Amino acid sequence: MSQEARALDATFEVLSATEADRVTALYAPLADAVRELVDATIHTEADEDVVVDARSAIEAVTASLRQRTRPAGVSYRVDGRALPLGNAAVGVCNPIAPPVVVHHEGGGRCWSEFVLGSAYEGPPGLVHGGVSALVLDHMLGEAASEGLSKPRFTGTITVKYLRGTPLGALRCEAWIEGREGVKVFARGTISDDAGVTVEAEGVFIEPAWARDSAQ
C-alpha cells in the first residue's frame, strides 16, 4: 500500500453498524437544530435585547460543545463504506449540508430529492450557482464511485446553467455514461417542477494508489 493510501486510511475511524446508528442518532438532530438556527438568523427581525440574549446563549452552547471534539479531517467507515457525517453535501451531522440523501438504483445511477432554503441563496429567490455545482459534483461522484464504495475522484466537471434554480424542493439525478481505463464519465441534472435547471458532466479518476493496491 502506498503512503498516500495509508494516509487516507488513517483519516477513517471504523465503526460497527450499531455504533454508527448511535452516533447518527445523537448528533444528526443537533445538526438539524443548527440548520433551523441558521434559517432563523437569516430571517430574524427580533429586537436588540432578544438578539443580544440569543448571541450569548449561542456562544455558551458553542463553548460547551467544544469541550470534547474529534480531530479535524477524521471521518467514519462502516462495513467498508464511507460514512461522511461531515460532508458539505450529504453530511447529516454537518449543519451546512442540506443534507442531500442519495438513493442508488444500481448500474451507476442515483437520485436525491431535497430542499434548499435561504442559506443557499444566490440571486434573490434562487439557489447560488456554486451550491448547484456542489450538489452535482457530489452526485456525479456518488454515481461514478458506485455509492462511495470505490475511490474515484473528480478530475474535471463542467456545469451548464440552463435557467435559475428556485429555492425549495428540488431533484438531482446522476448516472455513469461510460468508462475508459481509470476514467469514469458521469452526467447529472438538477430539476424543479418545471424541468431541468442545471446539468453537468464530469470525469472521475481512480487514483494511482488504488490501482497499485488492486494489483
Side-chain angles (χ1 to χ4, degrees):
M1 182 183 289
S2 69
Q3 290 184 344
E4 185 179 1
R6 291 192 187 96
L8 187 64
D9 277 350
T11 65
F12 284 99
E13 179 180 341
V14 177
L15 298 180
S16 67
T18 300
E19 180 63 9
D21 288 343
R22 186 197 70 80
V23 169
T24 302
L26 177 62
Y27 297 114
L30 173 63
D32 287 338
V34 178
R35 288 187 189 99
E36 289 296 322
L37 174 62
V38 169
D39 188 75
T41 301
I42 292 171
H43 292 287
T44 188
E45 291 186 344
D47 293 336
E48 182 178 356
D49 59 334
V50 174
V51 173
V52 170
D53 288 346
R55 189 182 70 212
S56 296
I58 292 166
E59 289 170 349
V61 169
T62 300
S64 70
L65 292 175
R66 289 194 184 281
Q67 291 179 12
R68 181 181 175 187
T69 59
R70 61 185 172 86
V74 173
S75 191
Y76 300 113
R77 187 176 291 277
V78 180
D79 295 331
R81 287 178 175 265
L83 180 65
L85 298 179
N87 184 278
V90 299
V92 295
C93 294
N94 183 353
I96 294 174
V100 174
V101 178
V102 185
H103 305 273
H104 288 270
E105 296 182 342
R109 296 191 69 94
C110 61
W111 62 273
S112 180
E113 293 181 345
F114 51 92
V115 175
L116 294 180
S118 297
Y120 307 100
E121 187 175 60
L126 299 176
V127 176
H128 193 291
V131 174
S132 296
L134 166 70
V135 171
L136 281 162
D137 181 40
H138 185 87
M139 289 292 290
L140 267 63
E142 287 266 0
S145 66
E146 300 176 43
L148 305 183
S149 65
K150 298 181 179 180
R152 293 168 182 161
F153 304 121
T154 310
T156 61
I157 185 169
T158 302
V159 181
K160 184 177 182 181
Y161 299 90
L162 305 181
R163 59 185 173 87
T165 301
L167 295 173
L170 299 166
R171 179 182 175 92
C172 186
E173 300 180 25
W175 59 91
I176 291 176
E177 279 218 319
R179 296 177 172 85
E180 183 180 303
V182 299
K183 299 179 180 179
V184 176
F185 302 90
R187 293 182 65 89
T189 61
I190 293 176
S191 304
D192 64 3
D193 288 342
V196 175
T197 62
V198 190
E199 59 187 23
E201 59 183 10
V203 181
F204 293 79
I205 312 295
E206 184 176 292
W209 58 262
R211 297 170 231 161
D212 295 340
S213 63
Q215 294 176 355

